Amino acid sequence: MKIAVIQFPGTNCEHETLVAARSSGLSGELFRWNRPAEELSAFDGYIIPGGFSYQDRLRAGAIASKEPVMDALREEAERGKPIIGICNGFQILTESGLLPGLGGINVALASNVMVSKGEIVRRGFYCAWTTLRTETPARRCSGSFILNKGDLVSMPLAHAEGNLVTADEDLMERLNEEDQIVFRYCDEGGRVEREFPVNVNGSLESIAGICNPEGNVLGLMPHPERSSFAWQLPPTDSAKSAGDMTAPGPGRRIFESMKRYIEVMR
Amino acid sequence: MKINLRVSLKIPDAEAATVKNTLRRRMGYGAVLEDLRRERLWSIEVDDSVLDPESLARRLARELVNENKESYKATVDSIDFEEGYVPVKVGLRIEDGEAISAQKRLRNRLGFDMVRSVERSSIWKLSLRADDPERTAGEIAERLLINPHKDFYEIMR
């Protein structure tokens, strides 16, 4: 099972993403955006990692979404292959229309707006550990394939534009009905709240990750590659204090999901 | 009255170059798009009782423009663009935190009590070889310059 980690100019999480994917049993390589796009078909799955593609010029993900490699990825997605977009990768997938994949561009990931007690208390870049609650049943989505509804996964996030908004009044209802909301921000007990600091960026319905209708394409703002080993976890985490620094961290389950999805779909 | 500060870079504008390259090389506008330039626009609503808006504009520019790398043109109420370009204004349709912060900073910390509101937008100036340049500019705005779920655009002619 060989995956491609797509690297655009300005991507900066490609190496640790590849390390995390390999730790789950996947093999893979970095795939630079300007390689012949048709070479993508040789891979079983794809990850668009975080960073600042094209320095976030115009708006995050907008320029990368127009690259030929994205047309090739769209074709691979139509074949059912899994794609996971992390942070800037999620932004690229929304700007390209691959997410939520309802035809055209359906959402924007706008600047963070942190609201507490009805007041805006902070805006812009935010970096923190966060907990995600899985909202979909197992096997619904490639990137949460082995996660059950209600499972909690902790991982850090670091972004300025992750506030999911839409001008489509019916979109949220549709995403809920079709089980396309895969992750929501929650507290450590699994309780979802609309306001900061649980909802870290003001995202509609505390959305942290969504998939396409078919479930093979997932985008999420937090970074699973940054919690794939125990050594990456906060000092207070029990998995870290257990002593084995190379033990799996919770984020690895995203990559293990992708691996399992590929095994099942082959 | 409204004071408009049109701010452009003195140094090369990498963002405008990237957008131009994307439109020409990736989106089929190679034979259509001759040139593309970008400005930042601050539209500042101030009390009508202000007696010398040109002087006020210069004082506001000292706070909002970094003259080491930017230059500006100030106008009161109207904006006139140069011939040969279709100006496309792009702004946020959702709340603009940076504009709100600028307004608060000007009023509450820098003593500009006469400032009523602040709007921030980008002006993309497109030189187009097309039968209907304004229609083409609108198409470019919808295909690249905006995400309709957070941005709006307006052809300023």
Side-chain angles (χ1 to χ4, degrees):
Chain A
M1 278 168 286
K2 191 175 180 184
I3 60 145
V5 177
I6 313 294
Q7 182 185 22
F8 290 100
T11 298
N12 63 17
C13 299
E14 66 276 15
H15 286 289
E16 57 266 55
T17 300
L18 188 55
V19 168
R22 285 174 174 161
S23 74
S24 69
L26 291 162
S27 65
E29 63 185 70
L30 300 184
F31 191 101
R32 289 179 187 251
W33 85 105
N34 55 0
R35 270 174 67 173
E38 59 271 19
E39 292 179 11
L40 270 182
S41 61
F43 296 86
D44 299 307
Y46 311 92
I47 301 176
I48 309 178
F52 299 88
S53 60
Y54 290 95
Q55 205 185 30
D56 281 354
R57 290 174 191 171
L58 189 60
R59 61 183 176 276
I63 301 296
S65 73
K66 305 301 183 190
E67 288 289 346
V69 72
M70 292 307 298
D71 293 329
L73 268 187
R74 184 174 285 105
E75 290 175 14
E76 299 304 327
E78 287 167 2
R79 296 189 179 106
K81 291 185 184 177
I83 301 173
I84 297 176
I86 300 166
C87 196
N88 188 229
F90 185 15
Q91 293 162 337
I92 294 168
L93 290 173
T94 59
E95 286 287 339
S96 68
L98 275 163
L99 285 175
L102 304 173
I105 295 175
N106 314 115
V107 299
L109 290 162
S111 291
N112 298 344
V113 179
M114 293 74 158
V115 176
S116 179
K117 298 175 183 169
E119 299 285 329
I120 295 171
V121 294
R122 184 174 173 152
R123 298 175 192 276
F125 184 83
Y126 192 62
C127 176
W129 276 87
T130 188
T131 306
L132 308 186
R133 189 176 76 187
T134 309
E135 301 293 298
T136 48
R139 304 171 75 93
R140 169 68 181 97
C141 167
S142 62
S144 64
F145 205 71
I146 63 170
L147 292 168
N148 293 305
K149 189 170 184 173
D151 281 357
L152 305 183
V153 190
S154 63
M155 58 184 83
L157 57 72
H159 62 255
E161 296 176 33
N163 172 15
L164 189 142
V165 298
T166 181
D168 180 349
E169 293 177 358
D170 301 324
L171 183 71
M172 283 301 117
E173 186 178 351
R174 179 164 179 184
L175 294 182
N176 278 298
E177 283 180 356
E178 300 297 324
D179 262 347
Q180 285 184 250
I181 299 172
V182 181
F183 296 116
R184 282 192 167 91
Y185 300 110
C186 68
D187 64 17
E188 291 179 357
R191 194 163 56 115
V192 171
E193 290 183 15
R194 290 176 56 189
E195 292 199 336
F196 182 79
V198 176
N199 183 353
V200 287
N201 53 25
S203 199
L204 274 172
E205 294 196 16
S206 301
I207 288 174
I210 57 175
C211 69
N212 64 342
E214 294 75 22
N216 58 318
V217 182
L218 167 72
L220 73 169
M221 287 311 299
H223 287 263
E225 80 280 9
R226 296 183 193 173
S227 72
S228 285
F229 296 91
W231 58 263
Q232 295 173 303
L233 303 177
T236 52
D237 195 291
S238 58
K240 189 167 193 174
S241 58
D244 181 4
M245 293 292 112
T246 61
R252 193 179 295 181
R253 301 188 78 192
I254 304 300
F255 303 101
E256 290 170 343
S257 285
M258 186 183 215
K259 177 173 178 270
R260 185 68 188 135
Y261 175 89
I262 294 170
E263 287 169 349
V264 169
M265 294 300 164
R266 269 185 161 179
Chain B
M1 77 184 80
K2 185 176 280 184
I3 292 174
N4 298 299
L5 295 178
R6 292 170 54 190
V7 183
S8 54
L9 284 173
K10 294 175 183 172
I11 58 176
D13 188 342
E15 182 163 2
T18 299
V19 170
K20 182 179 174 183
N21 284 340
T22 299
L23 287 164
R24 289 173 61 92
R25 298 175 185 171
R26 302 296 189 220
M27 300 182 68
Y29 292 100
V32 177
L33 181 65
E34 293 182 317
D35 192 21
L36 177 149
R37 298 180 187 183
R38 179 180 64 118
E39 295 178 0
R40 204 154 41 93
L41 175 64
W42 292 100
S43 300
I44 305 161
E45 193 77 42
V46 300
D47 289 343
D48 287 338
S49 59
V50 169
L51 296 176
D52 187 352
E54 285 77 15
S55 170
L56 176 59
R58 284 193 293 275
R59 287 169 51 213
L60 288 166
R62 278 199 287 272
E63 306 302 335
L64 297 172
V65 179
N66 181 344
E67 293 197 61
N68 293 304
K69 63 175 182 176
E70 296 170 326
S71 59
Y72 74 93
K73 294 176 192 167
T75 59
V76 179
D77 289 330
S78 64
I79 307 179
D80 295 316
F81 290 97
E82 52 269 56
E83 290 293 313
Y85 287 86
V86 181
V88 183
K89 176 181 173 181
V90 174
L92 285 175
R93 54 184 288 173
I94 60 175
E95 188 181 66
D96 185 347
E98 192 173 327
I100 292 170
S101 296
Q103 181 181 336
K104 286 182 177 172
R105 188 167 74 245
L106 290 170
R107 279 185 62 87
N108 302 342
R109 297 179 64 184
L110 298 170
F112 290 93
D113 297 336
M114 74 296 291
V115 169
R116 294 285 154 242
S117 69
V118 175
E119 289 178 14
R120 183 183 61 111
S121 54
S122 295
I123 308 292
W124 297 90
K125 296 185 296 186
L126 310 177
S127 173
L128 298 162
R129 195 183 301 122
D131 294 337
D132 188 344
E134 291 181 20
R135 194 172 70 84
T136 304
E139 180 187 290
I140 285 173
E142 289 172 15
R143 292 186 65 199
L144 182 65
L145 299 182
I146 70 161
N147 180 320
H149 298 278
K150 69 182 180 74
D151 304 314
F152 73 89
Y153 78 93
E154 175 190 348
I155 308 291
M156 296 189 76
R157 267 187 177 172

